[in-house]
Amino acid sequence: MRARVARYTRGVFIAVALSAVLSQAAPQQVPVAVPSSSELAGRYLWQCDALREPVACAITHEGLVAVADASGEIIGISGADGSIRWRSNSAGDERLVAPAGIAAHPDGSLLVSDARRRKVDRFSSAGAWIARFAPNCAIGEPTAIAIGSLQGGATECTAIVDDARHEIALISSTGESLRRITRSDLLLKDGALAIPSTVAFVAPGRLAVGSTDQHAIFLLDLGDGLSPPRVEASWGGRGPFPGLFNQPVGVASDGKWLWIADQFNHRVARQSWTPPTSGEGKLAYGQHAVFPRAGEGAVHYPVAIAVGRNLVRGNGLACERPSLAVVCEPFERRVQAFEPRFDEEPLDLRLILPKLEGVQSHFGAAATIAGGRLFMHDPESATIVVFDLSRGAPIHVSTLSGAGAKPHETGRIDAMVALADGRRLLVADGANKRLALWELTERPKEIIFEPFMGRLVKTRPYARLDLPVDGSIASLAVASVDGAPMIYALSPEGPSIVSLDGSLRTASTALITAPDTTARAVSIACADDGRIGVLYDSPAVIAIYTWRGAQWVPDGTLALPSVGRGCTLSAGNEGAWWVVDRAHDCVQIVTTAGIVRTVGSSGVADGSFWLPSATARAADGAMYAVDSGNHRGQRFGVDGTWQLTFSLGRSYTRARTADEVLRVRTKRDAPAAQGGAR
Amino acid sequence: MIVPLALAVLTFGLVQSTPPALAPPDASWKHVTSNDGSWSVHWRVVIDGAAVDLPLVRKRFTLEVRAVSLRDPALPLRGMLIDAQMPEHGHGMNVAPMVTIAAAGSGSAEGMLFHMSGRWEVDVDLDDGITVERAQWNIVLP
């Protein structure tokens, strides 16, 4: 018995010892952190935030970062540390008005397009004006610009997007026109024609074209530049997944990859351009700065990208790194630089998608009030949000429409106006090029969220409004004429005003006289006394028009020299106009005596603005202002004092300081922020 | 020979001058007015050539539509879109029906399919050459 127990005890001991040895020898299952697609995209280097509205950038071979700022200047920035080397706002004997594109020539010089002056100029790498480029080429509104070569690489070619004609002009090094790429060359899979918005040469004779509103990228074989281009590949569609876009505004190439500034996905995607893998690639910078002013790798509404490879050291500008990527974010008034990583994409990576889900408080540049309902919109999801104002604080009660091309869907909301005491809403859809009239149900007795409050009534295509070809509607207003609603739609092309009845069936279009050749008509409003005011952006002017003798007759102007960039116009109280000044982050209250009050200033505290974009007047005279850059709305009393701040699902009436606002935002968004790019 | 031919031509002319949408529909047709009151719309569901009350889940059907302008009965219908969606679920059909527009305001969408139970919203967009106005109604499938 004792021997049996001893054998048993020895067996147990051996088994335990063997188990211990084996457990130590076996590999342990330790979770390994797979790097994310955002972390792998590249390393954050620096940011330069001494800018106003950076909309395009280029990198010279010596590492100088040149930025086109739409406020009217170009800026040279050191690629090494982001310090500003020079600024310039003149082009010969003219002043730059609205630089929209910039490209670096192999010799170090820069080509700059100015959309308002309708000219392209050549500058030295030190920002000195050299000469006008291609003065004999008619370009209606030059925006994006790229320098490359045609097939074989021997013939230099410059591609310039003509935003007025929706074409791309191909121009030789001597400034002669080679040919134009038209919309008919950019055929989408559904048979529609795409509008070119941005360009980049990816190789000799190969041009990548981005179509913002159609969320598509085309790869064109230009051949010798004289024969029609051939589409080698096209990809895209609206969405958050790799290969899809939400407003691709800028493209760039380092020869190997194509980089796309994907504005409403808040990222810069890196994709293959070479067929048959065109559009493949998961690495992306950014993936959304979840709260305003977040930086150091987090990207917020990027609109342009530049990539430099094989940079050399010259003038002390270039960094030690041979590659550099720079992203323009006018929403944050800054550019950020990254060091690109990974020539080949790793097989094992954790895919990070934009931190967006459904409708957000990312309010766009339109607001309208009638019958106790406030309408605003979210550009990312192309939806309209409805607030009920009957209980004092705005309460989100419904959401209308969504992204798409069907009649009840929306591509891009450019303007809105509430009709019929808030029971109807007219929307200008710039991507689908139509007006859409919505109807809402009667307000229920209880304030509840009703997702199906609205239904589409009808649409009217822009093509049936007697507008110029591809004309657009930038703003809407309504007045009461003989007891019936009269809708006024402002078309910047012309410019002209379209007058429509409430059913959209009768319409007449008439030109208006612009007070300045470079200013753009951006907003229209009807005063209580029936005056029609049109706001021109820069130089900012309110022009008053009266309908007399079957035409719009100028009836005076209000010059606004202290307004940096007029954005939207609303009718204020007692005959005043409310002018949103996007450059100075405020709302100017204007009468014939001039600016009588300024509401707000630059910042994040309650009562301050960051890129305000619209105002609307409530029945009691209060001002509702869209504070786009802070992702919120604010209400101000008749005397201009702040009353409350609101967004979807929240509002408060105790004013917070900037520190308090930032602390709340950081705390609320902390979990999401930890997953962002760093 | 000449007389029957003349009668045939006359008959054809009479048929053409009487828009089908104006003809009194039988009991299988249901009626809605478009969302801005411009169109009188009759519709019915046809499966295997026979009119039925409601479509069946996961069974293809044809939607026949007749529309006449209430503003001006002589106003021709220039175009028609027919679609359906489930608003609560945020999706539409999994198929793309073939919409055919006949003369004088009648059309049909062949190959429609409601692939699940619930509330379906049928959207018919009627184009008179100026505006495109929507008529819509709900079909709830058990």
Side-chain angles (χ1 to χ4, degrees), chain A residues 406-408 424 437 439 452 455-461 464 502-506, chain B residues 35-36 71 81 83 85 87-88 119 123 125 127-134 136:
Chain A
K406 291 181 177 179
H408 59 275
R424 288 195 165 191
L437 183 62
E439 187 169 74
F452 310 116
R455 66 175 186 175
L456 179 72
V457 175
K458 60 172 63 175
T459 62
R460 180 159 178 165
R464 298 175 185 174
S503 72
L504 309 185
R505 292 195 57 77
T506 60
Chain B
N35 290 352
D36 206 25
R71 297 179 188 276
L81 288 172
D83 200 0
Q85 56 174 321
E88 278 86 354
R119 179 172 80 96
D123 300 321
D125 294 291
D127 186 354
D128 64 5
I130 299 174
T131 60
V132 183
E133 187 167 321
R134 171 158 292 187
Q136 65 187 70

Short mmCIF file of all heavy atoms in Angstrom, two decimals, chain A residues 406-408 424 437 439 452 455-461 464 502-506, chain B residues 35-36 71 81 83 85 87-88 119 123 125 127-134 136:
data_model
loop_
_atom_site.label_atom_id
_atom_site.label_comp_id
_atom_site.label_asym_id
_atom_site.label_seq_id
_atom_site.Cartn_x
_atom_site.Cartn_y
_atom_site.Cartn_z
N LYS A 406 -30.54 60.58 -55.95
CA LYS A 406 -31.98 60.41 -56.17
C LYS A 406 -32.70 61.72 -55.83
O LYS A 406 -32.15 62.56 -55.11
CB LYS A 406 -32.51 59.27 -55.31
CG LYS A 406 -32.02 57.90 -55.75
CD LYS A 406 -32.59 56.80 -54.89
CE LYS A 406 -32.13 55.44 -55.39
NZ LYS A 406 -32.65 54.34 -54.56
N PRO A 407 -33.93 61.91 -56.32
CA PRO A 407 -34.59 63.20 -56.11
C PRO A 407 -34.66 63.62 -54.64
O PRO A 407 -34.57 64.82 -54.34
CB PRO A 407 -35.98 62.97 -56.70
CG PRO A 407 -35.77 61.94 -57.76
CD PRO A 407 -34.71 61.03 -57.23
N HIS A 408 -34.85 62.68 -53.73
CA HIS A 408 -34.95 63.05 -52.31
C HIS A 408 -33.60 63.06 -51.61
O HIS A 408 -33.54 63.26 -50.40
CB HIS A 408 -35.90 62.10 -51.58
CG HIS A 408 -35.47 60.66 -51.64
ND1 HIS A 408 -35.78 59.85 -52.68
CD2 HIS A 408 -34.73 59.92 -50.80
CE1 HIS A 408 -35.27 58.65 -52.47
NE2 HIS A 408 -34.61 58.67 -51.34
N ARG A 424 -42.38 74.66 -45.26
CA ARG A 424 -41.67 74.25 -46.46
C ARG A 424 -40.23 74.77 -46.42
O ARG A 424 -39.94 75.77 -45.75
CB ARG A 424 -42.38 74.76 -47.72
CG ARG A 424 -43.67 74.01 -48.00
CD ARG A 424 -44.18 74.24 -49.39
NE ARG A 424 -45.19 73.26 -49.74
CZ ARG A 424 -45.67 73.08 -50.97
NH1 ARG A 424 -45.23 73.82 -51.96
NH2 ARG A 424 -46.57 72.15 -51.22
N LEU A 437 -37.68 71.25 -53.24
CA LEU A 437 -38.67 71.82 -52.32
C LEU A 437 -39.18 70.72 -51.40
O LEU A 437 -39.67 69.69 -51.86
CB LEU A 437 -39.83 72.42 -53.13
CG LEU A 437 -40.93 73.12 -52.33
CD1 LEU A 437 -40.38 74.33 -51.57
CD2 LEU A 437 -42.06 73.56 -53.26
N GLU A 439 -41.46 69.62 -47.79
CA GLU A 439 -42.61 69.98 -46.97
C GLU A 439 -42.52 69.24 -45.65
O GLU A 439 -42.16 68.06 -45.62
CB GLU A 439 -43.90 69.61 -47.69
CG GLU A 439 -45.15 70.11 -47.00
CD GLU A 439 -46.36 69.94 -47.90
OE1 GLU A 439 -46.81 68.79 -48.07
OE2 GLU A 439 -46.84 70.95 -48.45
N PHE A 452 -39.37 61.29 -39.76
CA PHE A 452 -40.04 61.37 -41.06
C PHE A 452 -40.93 62.61 -41.14
O PHE A 452 -42.02 62.57 -41.69
CB PHE A 452 -40.83 60.09 -41.32
CG PHE A 452 -40.01 58.86 -41.11
CD1 PHE A 452 -40.33 57.95 -40.11
CD2 PHE A 452 -38.88 58.63 -41.87
CE1 PHE A 452 -39.55 56.83 -39.90
CE2 PHE A 452 -38.09 57.51 -41.66
CZ PHE A 452 -38.43 56.61 -40.67
N ARG A 455 -41.03 65.55 -46.35
CA ARG A 455 -41.14 64.77 -47.58
C ARG A 455 -40.83 65.69 -48.75
O ARG A 455 -41.12 66.90 -48.72
CB ARG A 455 -42.51 64.15 -47.73
CG ARG A 455 -43.63 65.17 -47.92
CD ARG A 455 -44.95 64.48 -48.18
NE ARG A 455 -46.00 65.44 -48.50
CZ ARG A 455 -47.24 65.13 -48.86
NH1 ARG A 455 -47.59 63.87 -48.96
NH2 ARG A 455 -48.11 66.06 -49.16
N LEU A 456 -40.25 65.13 -49.77
CA LEU A 456 -39.92 65.90 -50.96
C LEU A 456 -41.20 66.25 -51.70
O LEU A 456 -42.06 65.39 -51.92
CB LEU A 456 -38.99 65.10 -51.87
CG LEU A 456 -38.61 65.81 -53.16
CD1 LEU A 456 -37.64 66.95 -52.89
CD2 LEU A 456 -38.01 64.84 -54.17
N VAL A 457 -41.31 67.51 -52.10
CA VAL A 457 -42.46 67.93 -52.90
C VAL A 457 -42.11 67.88 -54.38
O VAL A 457 -42.78 67.23 -55.18
CB VAL A 457 -42.91 69.35 -52.51
CG1 VAL A 457 -44.02 69.84 -53.42
CG2 VAL A 457 -43.36 69.37 -51.06
N LYS A 458 -41.05 68.57 -54.73
CA LYS A 458 -40.68 68.61 -56.15
C LYS A 458 -39.25 69.14 -56.28
O LYS A 458 -38.67 69.67 -55.33
CB LYS A 458 -41.62 69.50 -56.94
CG LYS A 458 -41.65 70.95 -56.44
CD LYS A 458 -42.44 71.87 -57.35
CE LYS A 458 -43.90 71.50 -57.42
NZ LYS A 458 -44.69 72.46 -58.20
N THR A 459 -38.72 69.00 -57.47
CA THR A 459 -37.41 69.56 -57.79
C THR A 459 -37.52 70.34 -59.09
O THR A 459 -38.44 70.13 -59.89
CB THR A 459 -36.33 68.47 -57.95
OG1 THR A 459 -36.70 67.62 -59.05
CG2 THR A 459 -36.18 67.63 -56.71
N ARG A 460 -36.57 71.24 -59.28
CA ARG A 460 -36.45 71.93 -60.57
C ARG A 460 -34.97 72.01 -60.92
O ARG A 460 -34.19 72.65 -60.20
CB ARG A 460 -37.06 73.33 -60.52
CG ARG A 460 -36.94 74.06 -61.85
CD ARG A 460 -37.93 75.18 -62.01
NE ARG A 460 -37.71 75.84 -63.30
CZ ARG A 460 -38.58 76.67 -63.86
NH1 ARG A 460 -39.71 76.94 -63.27
NH2 ARG A 460 -38.31 77.24 -65.02
N PRO A 461 -34.56 71.38 -62.03
CA PRO A 461 -33.14 71.39 -62.40
C PRO A 461 -32.67 72.79 -62.75
O PRO A 461 -33.43 73.60 -63.30
CB PRO A 461 -33.09 70.46 -63.62
CG PRO A 461 -34.35 69.67 -63.58
CD PRO A 461 -35.37 70.56 -62.93
N ARG A 464 -33.16 74.21 -66.18
CA ARG A 464 -34.45 74.81 -66.58
C ARG A 464 -34.66 76.17 -65.92
O ARG A 464 -35.79 76.59 -65.68
CB ARG A 464 -35.58 73.86 -66.20
CG ARG A 464 -35.49 72.51 -66.92
CD ARG A 464 -36.55 71.55 -66.43
NE ARG A 464 -36.38 70.23 -67.04
CZ ARG A 464 -37.09 69.17 -66.70
NH1 ARG A 464 -38.01 69.27 -65.76
NH2 ARG A 464 -36.88 68.00 -67.29
N GLY A 502 -43.74 80.37 -55.51
CA GLY A 502 -43.64 79.35 -54.47
C GLY A 502 -43.75 77.93 -54.97
O GLY A 502 -43.29 77.00 -54.31
N SER A 503 -44.33 77.76 -56.17
CA SER A 503 -44.45 76.41 -56.71
C SER A 503 -43.27 76.05 -57.61
O SER A 503 -43.23 74.95 -58.16
CB SER A 503 -45.75 76.27 -57.50
OG SER A 503 -45.66 76.99 -58.71
N LEU A 504 -42.36 76.96 -57.81
CA LEU A 504 -41.17 76.81 -58.66
C LEU A 504 -41.53 76.70 -60.14
O LEU A 504 -40.66 76.40 -60.96
CB LEU A 504 -40.33 75.57 -58.27
CG LEU A 504 -39.92 75.38 -56.82
CD1 LEU A 504 -38.99 74.17 -56.69
CD2 LEU A 504 -39.23 76.61 -56.29
N ARG A 505 -42.77 76.94 -60.50
CA ARG A 505 -43.15 76.72 -61.89
C ARG A 505 -42.83 77.91 -62.78
O ARG A 505 -42.47 77.74 -63.93
CB ARG A 505 -44.64 76.38 -61.97
CG ARG A 505 -44.96 75.01 -61.35
CD ARG A 505 -46.33 74.54 -61.76
NE ARG A 505 -46.49 74.47 -63.21
CZ ARG A 505 -46.01 73.50 -63.98
NH1 ARG A 505 -45.32 72.52 -63.43
NH2 ARG A 505 -46.21 73.52 -65.28
N THR A 506 -42.99 79.12 -62.26
CA THR A 506 -42.64 80.28 -63.09
C THR A 506 -41.32 80.83 -62.59
O THR A 506 -41.09 80.98 -61.39
CB THR A 506 -43.72 81.37 -62.99
OG1 THR A 506 -43.83 81.78 -61.63
CG2 THR A 506 -45.06 80.85 -63.47
N ASN B 35 -47.49 65.48 -54.36
CA ASN B 35 -47.23 66.23 -53.12
C ASN B 35 -47.48 67.73 -53.22
O ASN B 35 -47.57 68.40 -52.20
CB ASN B 35 -45.79 65.98 -52.66
CG ASN B 35 -45.59 64.56 -52.16
OD1 ASN B 35 -46.58 63.82 -52.02
ND2 ASN B 35 -44.36 64.18 -51.89
N ASP B 36 -47.56 68.27 -54.43
CA ASP B 36 -47.93 69.68 -54.56
C ASP B 36 -49.27 69.83 -55.27
O ASP B 36 -49.61 70.92 -55.74
CB ASP B 36 -46.85 70.45 -55.32
CG ASP B 36 -46.84 71.94 -54.95
OD1 ASP B 36 -47.29 72.26 -53.83
OD2 ASP B 36 -46.41 72.77 -55.77
N ARG B 71 -53.41 70.58 -63.25
CA ARG B 71 -53.30 71.98 -63.67
C ARG B 71 -53.82 72.14 -65.09
O ARG B 71 -54.51 73.09 -65.42
CB ARG B 71 -51.84 72.44 -63.61
CG ARG B 71 -51.25 72.42 -62.23
CD ARG B 71 -49.79 72.88 -62.27
NE ARG B 71 -49.14 72.69 -60.99
CZ ARG B 71 -49.22 73.56 -59.99
NH1 ARG B 71 -49.92 74.66 -60.14
NH2 ARG B 71 -48.60 73.32 -58.86
N LEU B 81 -40.00 58.71 -62.91
CA LEU B 81 -39.09 57.84 -62.17
C LEU B 81 -39.93 57.07 -61.15
O LEU B 81 -40.80 57.66 -60.50
CB LEU B 81 -38.04 58.64 -61.42
CG LEU B 81 -36.93 59.31 -62.23
CD1 LEU B 81 -36.11 60.22 -61.32
CD2 LEU B 81 -36.03 58.26 -62.85
N ASP B 83 -39.53 54.43 -57.87
CA ASP B 83 -38.56 53.82 -56.94
C ASP B 83 -39.30 53.50 -55.65
O ASP B 83 -40.44 53.94 -55.44
CB ASP B 83 -37.41 54.80 -56.68
CG ASP B 83 -36.16 54.10 -56.15
OD1 ASP B 83 -36.20 52.87 -55.99
OD2 ASP B 83 -35.17 54.78 -55.90
N GLN B 85 -38.52 52.66 -51.23
CA GLN B 85 -37.52 52.63 -50.16
C GLN B 85 -38.21 52.27 -48.84
O GLN B 85 -39.43 52.37 -48.72
CB GLN B 85 -36.85 54.00 -50.03
CG GLN B 85 -37.85 55.14 -49.81
CD GLN B 85 -37.18 56.47 -49.56
OE1 GLN B 85 -36.17 56.53 -48.87
NE2 GLN B 85 -37.75 57.54 -50.09
N PRO B 87 -38.05 53.73 -45.38
CA PRO B 87 -37.47 54.86 -44.63
C PRO B 87 -36.95 54.47 -43.25
O PRO B 87 -35.92 54.97 -42.80
CB PRO B 87 -38.64 55.84 -44.53
CG PRO B 87 -39.54 55.48 -45.66
CD PRO B 87 -39.42 54.00 -45.81
N GLU B 88 -37.66 53.58 -42.56
CA GLU B 88 -37.20 53.20 -41.22
C GLU B 88 -35.85 52.49 -41.25
O GLU B 88 -35.10 52.51 -40.29
CB GLU B 88 -38.23 52.31 -40.54
CG GLU B 88 -39.39 53.05 -39.90
CD GLU B 88 -40.52 53.33 -40.88
OE1 GLU B 88 -40.33 53.04 -42.09
OE2 GLU B 88 -41.57 53.82 -40.46
N ARG B 119 -42.72 48.67 -43.74
CA ARG B 119 -43.30 49.77 -44.51
C ARG B 119 -42.40 50.14 -45.68
O ARG B 119 -41.24 50.48 -45.50
CB ARG B 119 -43.48 51.01 -43.62
CG ARG B 119 -44.06 52.21 -44.38
CD ARG B 119 -44.40 53.34 -43.43
NE ARG B 119 -43.26 54.13 -43.02
CZ ARG B 119 -42.89 55.28 -43.61
NH1 ARG B 119 -43.57 55.76 -44.63
NH2 ARG B 119 -41.84 55.95 -43.15
N ASP B 123 -42.15 55.87 -54.41
CA ASP B 123 -41.94 57.24 -54.88
C ASP B 123 -42.05 57.28 -56.40
O ASP B 123 -41.33 56.57 -57.10
CB ASP B 123 -40.55 57.75 -54.48
CG ASP B 123 -40.36 57.76 -52.97
OD1 ASP B 123 -41.32 58.10 -52.26
OD2 ASP B 123 -39.26 57.40 -52.52
N ASP B 125 -41.81 60.06 -59.39
CA ASP B 125 -41.45 61.44 -59.70
C ASP B 125 -41.88 61.75 -61.13
O ASP B 125 -41.43 61.10 -62.08
CB ASP B 125 -39.94 61.63 -59.52
CG ASP B 125 -39.53 61.48 -58.06
OD1 ASP B 125 -39.90 62.35 -57.26
OD2 ASP B 125 -38.90 60.46 -57.72
N ASP B 127 -42.35 64.26 -64.28
CA ASP B 127 -41.65 65.38 -64.92
C ASP B 127 -42.55 65.97 -66.01
O ASP B 127 -42.90 65.27 -66.97
CB ASP B 127 -40.34 64.85 -65.52
CG ASP B 127 -39.47 65.97 -66.08
OD1 ASP B 127 -39.94 67.13 -66.12
OD2 ASP B 127 -38.34 65.68 -66.51
N ASP B 128 -42.89 67.24 -65.85
CA ASP B 128 -43.69 67.90 -66.89
C ASP B 128 -42.84 68.81 -67.77
O ASP B 128 -43.37 69.62 -68.54
CB ASP B 128 -44.84 68.69 -66.26
CG ASP B 128 -44.33 69.84 -65.38
OD1 ASP B 128 -43.11 70.07 -65.33
OD2 ASP B 128 -45.16 70.50 -64.74
N GLY B 129 -41.54 68.71 -67.66
CA GLY B 129 -40.64 69.54 -68.45
C GLY B 129 -40.19 70.79 -67.73
O GLY B 129 -39.26 71.47 -68.19
N ILE B 130 -40.85 71.13 -66.62
CA ILE B 130 -40.44 72.31 -65.83
C ILE B 130 -39.99 71.85 -64.44
O ILE B 130 -38.86 72.07 -64.04
CB ILE B 130 -41.59 73.32 -65.71
CG1 ILE B 130 -42.01 73.81 -67.10
CG2 ILE B 130 -41.17 74.50 -64.84
CD1 ILE B 130 -43.23 74.68 -67.11
N THR B 131 -40.89 71.21 -63.74
CA THR B 131 -40.54 70.67 -62.43
C THR B 131 -40.74 69.15 -62.43
O THR B 131 -41.44 68.60 -63.30
CB THR B 131 -41.40 71.28 -61.31
OG1 THR B 131 -42.77 70.99 -61.57
CG2 THR B 131 -41.19 72.78 -61.22
N VAL B 132 -40.13 68.52 -61.46
CA VAL B 132 -40.29 67.08 -61.26
C VAL B 132 -40.98 66.90 -59.91
O VAL B 132 -40.37 67.15 -58.87
CB VAL B 132 -38.94 66.35 -61.28
CG1 VAL B 132 -39.15 64.84 -61.13
CG2 VAL B 132 -38.18 66.65 -62.55
N GLU B 133 -42.25 66.54 -59.94
CA GLU B 133 -43.05 66.52 -58.70
C GLU B 133 -43.25 65.08 -58.23
O GLU B 133 -43.46 64.17 -59.04
CB GLU B 133 -44.40 67.19 -58.93
CG GLU B 133 -45.21 67.37 -57.67
CD GLU B 133 -46.38 68.32 -57.89
OE1 GLU B 133 -46.22 69.32 -58.60
OE2 GLU B 133 -47.46 68.04 -57.35
N ARG B 134 -43.21 64.91 -56.94
CA ARG B 134 -43.29 63.56 -56.36
C ARG B 134 -44.70 63.20 -55.93
O ARG B 134 -45.41 64.01 -55.33
CB ARG B 134 -42.35 63.45 -55.17
CG ARG B 134 -42.52 62.16 -54.37
CD ARG B 134 -41.29 61.81 -53.57
NE ARG B 134 -40.17 61.43 -54.44
CZ ARG B 134 -39.02 60.94 -54.00
NH1 ARG B 134 -38.83 60.76 -52.71
NH2 ARG B 134 -38.04 60.64 -54.83
N GLN B 136 -46.29 59.96 -53.68
CA GLN B 136 -45.77 58.87 -52.85
C GLN B 136 -46.88 58.25 -52.03
O GLN B 136 -47.88 58.91 -51.72
CB GLN B 136 -44.65 59.38 -51.93
CG GLN B 136 -45.10 60.39 -50.89
CD GLN B 136 -43.91 60.98 -50.14
OE1 GLN B 136 -43.12 61.74 -50.68
NE2 GLN B 136 -43.81 60.60 -48.87
#
